[in-house]
Amino acid sequence: MKKKIFAVLSLAATLLITGCGGGGNGGAEKMNATIKIGATPVPHSEILTEIKPDLKEKGISLEIVEFNDYVQPNIALNDKELDANFFQHEPYLNDFVKEHKEMKLKNAGGVHIEPMGIYSKKIKKLDEITDGAQIAIPNDPTNGGRALLLLEKANLLKLKDGVKETATVQDIAENPKNLVIQEVEAAQLPRTLEDVDAAIINTNFAMNADLNPMKDALFIEDKTSPYVNIITVRDGDENRPEIKTLLETIKSEKVKKFIEEKYKGAIVPAF
């Protein structure tokens, strides 16, 4: 009789454990979450769209909200209108947070590099740039400094020693061609090409304007660029399971192959 009672209790305990643990999947449960992420259209939104089915299989619904500027995605993230954003590199984020000390935003992980390039509709090569040429660059501090570094690398000007990505137009030490630097909102730079001799444009905005960085850029950053585009979250949210799953999914071999085949060197995986 004691053996029968023991057997019944053992069976009940087994059923209880199985019921709580989710059966034969080792206790793992499928997520049931939604992530709302802000992104600029190209390539960020395209990359996110590529992983939507993979996240869905893991129980995560991905909502993509598109932006066409570099300010609103961080404001929306800070205001909890988004769970994350995907449009910026860490130097830009660091500069933004310094200016908005109330915003506690954090780099959750790097995804790709978008080489910045020099574009023109008036000349075919850099040595055609004439004295007094008008050059448009981004007006935000980080990308503006990055653009000036690219102009220096192209031997069009020389900056003061040691300024690097913090460079401003006041840090130009030598300007042999008397270039006239015009600072313009980054998203608007492709539109300036009809009016200026050349413009320094971020790859996402260049591609959104049907410019091919590998064919149309007169000069472009190489693959050693430190400006890796990142997934940004509110401080502490990097530990949320759905955010961790997002990072794991976007930094997969499938996404690496997608970036390499779709963008053919204009966008470079950073993982």
Side-chain angles (χ1 to χ4, degrees):
M1 184 68 179
K2 289 182 179 180
K3 289 183 179 180
K4 288 183 179 180
I5 293 172
F6 179 77
V8 170
L9 290 173
S10 297
L11 177 60
T14 301
L15 290 171
L16 180 62
I17 292 170
T18 302
C20 294
N25 59 0
E29 292 185 4
K30 190 175 182 179
M31 286 189 196
N32 182 17
T34 297
I35 298 175
K36 185 180 288 188
I37 182 165
T40 45
V42 181
H44 306 85
S45 181
E46 294 178 341
I47 294 172
L48 290 169
T49 299
E50 182 67 13
I51 65 169
K52 262 190 169 185
D54 304 292
L55 289 174
K56 195 70 175 177
E57 288 182 2
K58 299 172 184 178
I60 298 175
S61 296
L62 182 63
E63 294 183 16
I64 304 169
V65 182
E66 292 193 353
F67 292 85
N68 283 296
D69 73 281
Y70 285 168
V71 177
Q72 293 305 313
N74 279 336
I75 293 174
L77 177 59
N78 180 72
D79 292 346
K80 298 185 178 181
E81 296 171 8
L82 302 170
D83 297 292
N85 67 42
F86 181 33
F87 75 97
Q88 64 195 323
H89 48 64
E90 189 165 37
Y92 178 85
L93 173 64
N94 291 341
D95 187 74
F96 189 93
V97 170
K98 283 180 183 177
E99 291 186 5
H100 303 80
K101 292 182 171 56
E102 74 281 5
M103 296 190 184
K104 306 300 181 184
L105 306 181
K106 185 172 183 177
N107 173 6
V111 180
H112 69 272
I113 297 169
E114 300 175 12
M116 182 178 271
I118 303 176
Y119 297 84
S120 177
K121 287 190 175 181
K122 296 184 177 180
I123 60 175
K124 299 295 183 183
K125 48 188 179 180
L126 288 183
D127 60 15
E128 294 177 6
I129 291 180
T130 58
D131 188 80
Q134 296 185 356
I135 311 294
I137 69 171
N139 67 355
D140 62 272
T142 304
N143 284 302
R146 181 182 179 186
L148 291 170
L149 285 173
L150 187 62
L151 288 170
E152 182 178 53
K153 193 166 186 178
N155 297 316
L156 291 172
L157 52 75
K158 184 172 176 56
L159 299 170
K160 296 175 184 177
D161 293 338
V163 292
K164 298 185 179 179
E165 70 272 2
T166 62
T168 68
V169 291
Q170 284 73 40
D171 292 313
I172 298 174
E174 298 177 20
N175 188 2
K177 292 199 172 186
N178 301 302
L179 302 178
V180 178
I181 307 297
Q182 298 184 9
E183 296 176 282
V184 178
E185 185 183 349
Q188 303 302 319
L189 283 165
R191 297 182 184 180
T192 70
L193 290 175
E194 300 293 342
D195 304 311
V196 300
D197 295 284
I200 319 299
I201 306 175
N202 295 78
T203 289
N204 59 318
F205 291 130
M207 296 180 69
N208 204 37
D210 295 323
L211 293 168
N212 185 325
M214 303 311 295
K215 295 180 180 178
D216 298 324
L218 305 180
F219 192 82
I220 196 165
E221 288 175 329
D222 58 31
K223 295 181 180 181
T224 62
S225 170
Y227 295 91
V228 177
N229 278 227
I230 60 176
I231 299 288
T232 304
V233 298
R234 290 182 295 277
D235 192 16
D237 280 2
E238 69 276 9
N239 295 317
R240 286 169 52 185
E242 60 267 38
I243 296 296
K244 287 185 175 182
T245 301
L246 169 69
L247 263 294
E248 291 169 2
T249 306
I250 204 168
K251 296 171 76 170
S252 65
E253 283 301 313
K254 174 187 173 180
V255 173
K256 184 176 182 180
K257 185 177 179 181
F258 170 78
I259 292 172
E260 291 172 342
E261 292 182 354
K262 183 172 179 62
Y263 304 111
K264 303 185 187 305
I267 306 293
V268 183
F271 54 88

